[in-house]
Each structure stands twice: as structure tokens, then as C-alpha cells.
Amino acid sequence: MAGGVFAPGHLGELTRIVPFELADGVLEETRTRERRLRVLPSRVGLYFVLAMCLFPGTGYRGVWAKLTAALDGLGLAVPSSRALRDLRRRIGIAPVRALFEVLAGPLGRPRTPGVMSGRYRTVAFDGCRSVKVPDTGRNRAWLGKMNAALGVTGYPVIQLMTLCETGTRALLGAAFGSTAEGEITWARKLLHLLDETMLVLMDRGFDGGEFLREVAATKAQFLVRLSSVRRPPVLGHLPDGSVRSVIGGVKVRIIEASVTVTCHDGTRYGGTYRLATTLADHRAYPAEALIALYHERWQHEIAYLALRHTLLEGRVLRSGDPAGLQQEMWALLALYQTLRIAITDAVATVPGTDPDRASYQIAVETARTLVTSARGVATGASDLAGDIGRAVLASLHGPRRPRVCARRVKSPLSRWNKHPPGKPRTCQRITSITTAIRAEHQPAATRGEQCVTTACGP
């Protein structure tokens, strides 16, 4: 442990990822380090804010008790809730945001399963509007409230936008604020993170011509689903059924496909997908392969599931003012990324293991235990996995099973409260997925379809 008043400043085994030198560095860089040594130094405050997000259901003094539970006999201060609140205010937003920016970035190696598609690293844009905040006047003045079917939502929410590496679910960057500005506005703040080594997967909300032109200007490739109302011109047909077109001045290849899922009980359902991509070579990137690759965009949703429900436990944030919310959000994102680094480091010790199989829940639970016991603060450089990694590796998920899960929506305000037509109302094993590639704008009599049937094992 650090000596004297710095002893409570740790994060258990996660301290090896956020070491004392890094904490001091971001404090120095943002000029928020104390000018005189206090009973509650700034470094301790930074770790306290991170621990506050690791224990979302615990009050200030409870979080402090967990940081100091194994430090009996050191004569440490027992600060009041007000003193810890003042410590948060003294730290401010800047060092926590700087810490996230240092930790953020792709984690997968080129040989890590699921990280690369050909020579491109797959990443995804997506927004989240389910992080709720206290319903105070200052929070409402900043965020407002979203409209619902019967009025407005109960809590204000933060519009979070992140760029995620789909293979490891690590965050490359984040931006957040009011929902009034829309997802595209927040996504534009992250375009500088893209480069020529990346393939960006995007949903229908990101198919605007101007935005796609801005994405293409970063030299990154993209694969985006088109909304049903968008009808770009057909400039030529390719042998695999895709067509050449242009959107927003960017030359693209458009793939239209009907996907049909057959379940174990005989139920069949599906839908139509229209994708636009800058990957123009139909031989190197067949249409069927790109349809399957687009499914990886859902890894971003799983990242949000881990952030909102596993780490935050579905709770409302605790800060009652915008400055506190911003600090808390950057700390939550930094902590999420820290745990992802610990998981990816552990998986890397077993070559060929897909990061998808690692349990974020187990990583969180183990990290909480190690904070309370103050174990692993100084971990040897040769111990890449650590206690967190060993716990994760001991409980890897099995290979992904082809199955469909029934939608269960508890909130009557959800826009997804209606069951999708044809989809099973119980969880079912998938026996086959059939993809039919269709050439756009051809007469039905001459339109030939190429069908590929993938039989899924039990």
C-alpha cells in the first residue's frame, strides 16, 4: 500500500491498471493536485470516485469503509459524508476525463478471435439513452426529460455515445450530454478516433449521406444498414447480387438480403436487410459474409448491458448537479474500460480464446472483493492475469449457441413493448438461418436470387 494518508488511495488489483503514477500524472496534467498535503489527498479522491462507481449502491462513508476495511492500525481519518463530497468537488471533472482518455482504445491483438475482419479492425458506433439521473432542478435544466406515450419519463436520462471495438467490447472513445442534440451530433465528436485500419459497423440511424461522407473522410471503411425510405441510385450490378451506388458523394456497394430463421419448434421468422459498404470488392468481401458480419454490431449492445446493469446495477446515478454527473460518468466509463483491460489481459494468456467467452459479471464481483481486502494492489509484472483474470478464466462461457430469446419488456414506456411479429414467445434453439441475396431494382422475372443455407448445430 501507499504510505500515510495515501493508503486509502487504491482500487485493489485494478490499481495495476490505474497505478499511482498514472493517477498522479492526470492530476498534475489537469492542475488538480493539492498544493499542500491534506488528510484527504487528491490522489485518494481520484480512487474514491472510481470506487464510488464500483459500489453504486453504497453511500460515501460506505465506499470509504470498503477502501479502508483491510487497513486497520494505520490511524487513517474517518471523514464525514460532507468531507467526501467536498473531496469530489475539489477533484472536479478534468482528471477523471483525462484518465478515461488514457485508458480508452482498442485492446484486441490482430490474432485475437473476433477482432479483425480481413485486414480491418471492426468497431461500431451506437448510442444509449437508459442511464438515468436524479430528478433535480439542475439536472433537468441540463438534460430535460424525454417524451413518453403518457407524458414524460420519470427520470432525466443522459445521451451516451461511444465508439466500441466489437471483438473485445472495449471503448475507443465516448461523448455524452442531452438527448435533444441527437445521436449523430454526438457521434461526430468521435470521428477523429477512426483511421484507415478500421471497419465501422452502424445501424440505420447513421445512414445519412453527410455523416457517411464524414466517416469516409477519415479513411475508415464502413458497413451501415439503410433505412427503408432511402433509395440510392443503381449504377451497376455485381455477380453476387449486390449493386454499385453512391450516397452522399461516396461510392458504395449495396447488399439487400432476406434473412429467415428457423427454430427448433418449427417457427420461422425473419426480415429484410439493406446494407451499404465501402468494401467494393465482391470477391474479397462476399455479400453473405458481410450480412453475417453486420450481426457483430450487437456486441456494442452487450457492452452497454455490462455498463448499465452489471457495473451500475441498473441504478440511477447519484449526482444531483451537472458537474457531479459529468465526473461520475467519466469515472464509470474509466472503470468499465479498466475491467475490460483486465479481462483482455487474462484472455490473452490463453491463445485462441475468444474474449466473448469472458464473464464481465465475475470480473466485477472479484474486483469488488479485492478492493475490500486491499489485495493485489502491487501485482508482479509477470502475473498478467492476476486474481481477476484467474477467476474469469475459471468460468469461461461455452461456445455461443445459435438460439433466439423471447423479448421481455418490463417498462410500459419502452418503445419495444410490442412483441415482434412471428418471433417465438419462448426461448428456442435455432436450427438454420437462410440468407437470400437479392439484386435491387431488377424486374421480378429476371431477378435471380442466390440462396445460402447455414445449418446450425444443436
Side-chain angles (χ1 to χ4, degrees), residues 186-240:
W186 293 109
R188 283 194 170 99
K189 299 179 184 296
L190 305 178
L191 289 177
H192 66 281
L193 300 172
L194 300 177
D195 59 39
E196 66 278 0
T197 68
M198 298 178 182
L199 170 60
V200 191
L201 310 179
M202 297 177 285
D203 198 8
R204 286 172 289 194
F206 300 90
D207 69 338
E210 183 178 352
F211 182 72
L212 294 182
R213 182 168 61 249
E214 294 172 358
V215 172
T218 67
K219 306 302 182 183
Q221 306 295 323
F222 63 75
L223 178 65
V224 60
R225 187 176 181 184
L226 300 179
S227 58
S228 59
V229 297
R230 186 172 295 281
R231 295 293 177 184
V234 175
L235 303 181
H237 295 270
L238 296 172
D240 65 346

Side-chain angles (χ1 to χ4, degrees), residues 396-407:
L396 290 175
H397 299 311
R400 181 176 296 173
R401 294 171 292 167
R403 58 177 179 159
V404 58
C405 294
R407 175 176 291 169

Side-chain angles (χ1 to χ4, degrees), residues 10 86 132 136 161-162 206 224 239 244 250 316 324 343 401 422 436 447:
H10 70 91
D86 292 343
K132 300 177 182 178
T136 65
M161 175 60 61
T162 59
F206 300 90
V224 60
R244 292 192 297 269
V250 179
V316 178
I343 291 171
R401 294 171 292 167
R447 176 168 188 174

Side-chain angles (χ1 to χ4, degrees), residues 95-341:
V96 190
R97 178 173 183 173
L99 177 62
F100 170 74
E101 292 173 349
V102 170
L103 297 172
L107 302 179
R109 301 174 183 177
R111 294 184 181 273
T112 303
V115 168
M116 306 294 290
S117 176
R119 63 189 181 93
Y120 297 107
R121 183 183 301 271
T122 57
V123 299
F125 275 120
D126 203 8
C128 171
R129 293 186 176 186
S130 56
V131 179
K132 300 177 182 178
V133 307
D135 190 7
T136 65
R138 285 177 289 181
N139 287 347
R140 287 195 302 272
W142 177 38
L143 299 172
K145 280 193 174 185
M146 293 179 60
N147 292 326
L150 301 178
V152 294
T153 53
Y155 289 96
V157 298
I158 287 179
Q159 170 70 71
L160 173 63
M161 175 60 61
T162 59
L163 180 64
C164 174
E165 180 183 43
T166 59
T168 63
R169 303 168 190 162
L171 301 182
L172 281 67
F176 56 85
S178 171
T179 58
E181 298 190 48
E183 290 188 338
I184 294 294
T185 300
W186 293 109
R188 283 194 170 99
K189 299 179 184 296
L190 305 178
L191 289 177
H192 66 281
L193 300 172
L194 300 177
D195 59 39
E196 66 278 0
T197 68
M198 298 178 182
L199 170 60
V200 191
L201 310 179
M202 297 177 285
D203 198 8
R204 286 172 289 194
F206 300 90
D207 69 338
E210 183 178 352
F211 182 72
L212 294 182
R213 182 168 61 249
E214 294 172 358
V215 172
T218 67
K219 306 302 182 183
Q221 306 295 323
F222 63 75
L223 178 65
V224 60
R225 187 176 181 184
L226 300 179
S227 58
S228 59
V229 297
R230 186 172 295 281
R231 295 293 177 184
V234 175
L235 303 181
H237 295 270
L238 296 172
D240 65 346
S242 59
V243 299
R244 292 192 297 269
S245 185
V246 61
I247 299 178
V250 179
K251 294 180 180 179
V252 297
R253 174 174 156 226
I254 296 180
I255 303 166
E256 182 177 357
S258 296
V259 179
T260 303
V261 177
T262 304
C263 299
H264 181 68
D265 65 348
T267 303
R268 300 184 68 192
Y269 75 98
T272 300
Y273 286 76
R274 296 173 64 241
L275 307 180
T277 180
T278 49
L279 298 174
D281 190 345
H282 67 278
R283 298 179 183 86
Y285 303 97
E288 296 86 359
L290 292 180
I291 290 290
L293 176 63
Y294 178 75
H295 182 73
E296 290 298 307
R297 188 192 70 80
W298 286 94
Q299 297 292 343
H300 205 153
E301 302 288 352
I302 299 176
Y304 281 143
L305 180 69
L307 180 70
R308 296 188 319 254
H309 296 286
T310 304
L311 188 55
L312 191 56
E313 297 179 346
R315 295 178 179 272
V316 178
L317 298 184
R318 64 178 82 208
S319 304
D321 61 272
L325 286 178
Q326 292 179 59
Q327 182 196 64
E328 192 173 354
M329 278 297 299
W330 288 119
L332 186 65
L333 293 167
L335 182 62
Y336 171 88
Q337 184 73 357
T338 301
L339 286 159
R340 281 292 175 207
I341 293 172

Side-chain angles (χ1 to χ4, degrees), residues 344-410:
T344 307
D345 286 349
V347 170
T349 63
V350 185
T353 304
D354 194 323
D356 289 357
R357 298 180 59 193
S359 170
Y360 198 83
Q361 178 73 51
I362 290 176
V364 171
E365 291 173 354
T366 307
R368 287 170 176 165
T369 300
L370 295 175
V371 167
T372 304
S373 61
R375 287 175 50 199
V377 175
T379 305
S382 61
D383 189 8
L384 186 60
D387 288 344
I388 295 175
R390 282 187 286 273
V392 168
L393 293 174
S395 303
L396 290 175
H397 299 311
R400 181 176 296 173
R401 294 171 292 167
R403 58 177 179 159
V404 58
C405 294
R407 175 176 291 169
R408 295 183 177 90
V409 180
K410 302 294 182 66

